[in-house]
Amino acid sequence: QVQLVESGGGLVQAGGSLRLSCTASGLIFYNYAMHWFRQAPGKEREGISCVSWDSIAYYTDSVKGRFTISRDNAKNTLYLQMNSLKPEDTAMYYCAADFGGYCSGSWWARRAYNYWGQGTQVTVSS
């Protein structure tokens, strides 16, 4: 049974940092491109970052320069280092796995991924 489990969320002041983790089990981790999405209350789920099996990273403009995605294939773990957090970063953050290992051309818009985690809440106070 495949599981993606996010952790590391919490409450932080604006300008602060958090590091999210997503630990995978039940799959061959390096066969999957990994993604971070987020969803704020009343808004659609938003793709923010993708990393290929060989650690090529992509970001949407909303987080570029502030967030860093990384992965450790030996530990089956995906990370998201979030710096300079803003109140508008408040959301539930989800990781998603896509078989094939490479970030697709429109990864930020897709919703049909092989596996999703349950999410971890990030709240940024002003």
Side-chain angles (χ1 to χ4, degrees), residues 67-83:
F67 292 8
T68 302
I69 191 171
S70 62
R71 64 190 294 162
D72 186 334
N73 290 337
K75 295 182 178 181
N76 284 7
T77 303
L78 171 73
Y79 303 100
L80 185 69
Q81 178 66 44
M82 305 187 296
N83 299 329

Side-chain angles (χ1 to χ4, degrees), residues 2-51:
V2 175
Q3 280 192 312
L4 301 180
V5 180
E6 300 95 336
S7 61
L11 175 64
V12 63
Q13 288 189 332
S17 299
L18 282 175
R19 189 194 196 202
L20 305 184
S21 299
C22 168
T23 301
S25 60
L27 53 72
I28 300 175
F29 190 65
Y30 61 76
N31 281 346
Y32 291 80
M34 297 299 296
H35 308 72
W36 286 103
F37 282 74
R38 66 185 181 186
Q39 188 167 17
K43 295 189 176 181
E44 290 191 356
R45 192 168 294 191
E46 171 193 18
I48 58 173
S49 189
C50 177
V51 63

